[in-house]
Amino acid sequence: DQQVKQNSPSLSVQEGRISILNCDYTNSMFDYFLWYKKYPAEGPTFLISISSIKDKNEDGRFTVFLNKSAKHLSLHIVPSQPGDSAVYFCAASAGYALNFGKGTSLLVTP
Amino acid sequence: EAGVAQSPRYKIIEKRQSVAFWCNPISGHATLYWYQQILGQGPKLLIQFQNNGVVDDSQLPKDRFSAERLKGVDSTLKIQPAKLEDSAVYLCASSSPKNEQYFGPGTRLTVT
């Protein structure tokens, strides 16, 4: 039972443009959401998080938006850079354990 | 600050053999997790420790998998006997009080 879904397996964006990665969840008990970035042969790296009491959190080029009524969150990367090319995982928590989506592979082309 | 350390990085074994993975979390992190990541999937939680006690092991296949965290610091995850479907990357993570989980590089296990 996949409680966190990332329906786009891959995304290609030109350098300098905006990258938008989407994530949907089904469990209304989730109250904390995170995005991780993963390079090949490395573990996931924490990127940004948002609590369910907020609808937006910004950190430099990265912004996460949360729409609780739609059970949807998105990660915006502006401007996109070639070094952002990686697999991005959305994760959600109702306590401590994280439930991960399957990931979206982002390719930023020069 | 040193990150989460894991060893070995790669392991190849035959089915029915046993294998063990080691994890050293970030200093001061009380909570430690083991995840299994099968190719093309997101990480799936196997077990969560708070200090040296188990908080959640509901998804750990206990007939073949075991884990311990003696003294509330390092942890080992063991598989005995291994099956072909255990081929995956095994990730260890530890979390800050804000529940931001920091992952190690993982151990890639191949069972032949």
Side-chain angles (χ1 to χ4, degrees):
Chain A
D1 178 28
Q2 195 78 19
Q3 298 186 73
V4 177
K5 298 177 184 178
Q6 294 176 258
N7 292 319
S8 298
S10 62
L11 176 67
S12 183
V13 171
Q14 271 193 320
E15 182 179 5
R17 303 263 185 156
I18 183 171
S19 295
I20 300 176
L21 295 93
N22 294 303
C23 177
D24 297 294
Y25 62 95
T26 58
N27 189 339
S28 57
M29 298 299 291
F30 289 148
D31 59 2
Y32 191 57
F33 304 88
L34 308 90
W35 284 93
Y36 283 83
K37 180 166 78 170
K38 186 180 184 304
Y39 293 118
E42 294 183 13
T45 303
F46 170 74
L47 198 55
I48 192 169
S49 63
I50 188 167
S51 163
S52 60
I53 62 173
K54 295 185 175 182
D55 54 19
K56 177 183 175 181
N57 188 26
E58 193 171 353
D59 183 2
R61 297 186 297 113
F62 303 92
T63 303
V64 56
F65 295 91
L66 175 62
N67 182 335
K68 289 188 294 293
S69 61
K71 294 190 177 69
H72 177 84
L73 65 156
S74 60
L75 174 68
H76 292 209
I77 306 173
V78 184
S80 301
Q81 300 173 353
D84 296 329
S85 297
V87 177
Y88 289 78
F89 289 97
C90 170
S93 170
Y96 280 100
L98 293 180
N99 296 270
F100 283 87
K102 291 185 178 182
T104 296
S105 179
L106 173 66
L107 176 64
V108 180
T109 57
Chain B
E1 178 181 79
V4 176
Q6 288 188 249
S7 68
R9 292 295 312 274
Y10 304 92
K11 189 74 177 178
I12 300 174
I13 62 172
E14 294 182 352
K15 60 183 178 184
R16 291 188 289 273
Q17 286 187 323
S18 63
V19 64
F21 313 127
W22 173 83
C23 172
N24 182 244
I26 292 173
S27 177
H29 282 189
T31 308
L32 183 148
Y33 312 79
W34 283 101
Y35 288 86
Q36 179 193 58
Q37 185 176 14
I38 293 172
L39 188 65
Q41 305 284 325
K44 183 186 86 170
L45 179 70
L46 291 176
I47 188 168
Q48 175 189 340
F49 291 94
Q50 181 76 16
N51 296 308
N52 60 350
V54 175
V55 174
D56 182 359
D57 63 357
S58 57
Q59 297 196 78
L60 187 73
K62 298 181 188 62
D63 57 334
R64 299 183 299 106
F65 286 64
S66 64
E68 61 182 10
R69 192 184 183 196
L70 301 176
K71 302 180 183 177
V73 181
D74 293 8
S75 177
T76 56
L77 175 70
K78 296 178 182 177
I79 307 175
Q80 182 180 15
K83 292 186 175 182
L84 295 176
E85 59 260 36
D86 298 332
S87 294
V89 175
Y90 290 84
L91 294 161
C92 178
S94 65
S95 64
S96 67
K98 288 174 64 178
N99 200 26
E100 293 164 0
Q101 293 187 23
Y102 296 88
F103 286 81
T107 297
R108 180 175 295 278
L109 173 67
T110 302
V111 182
T112 62

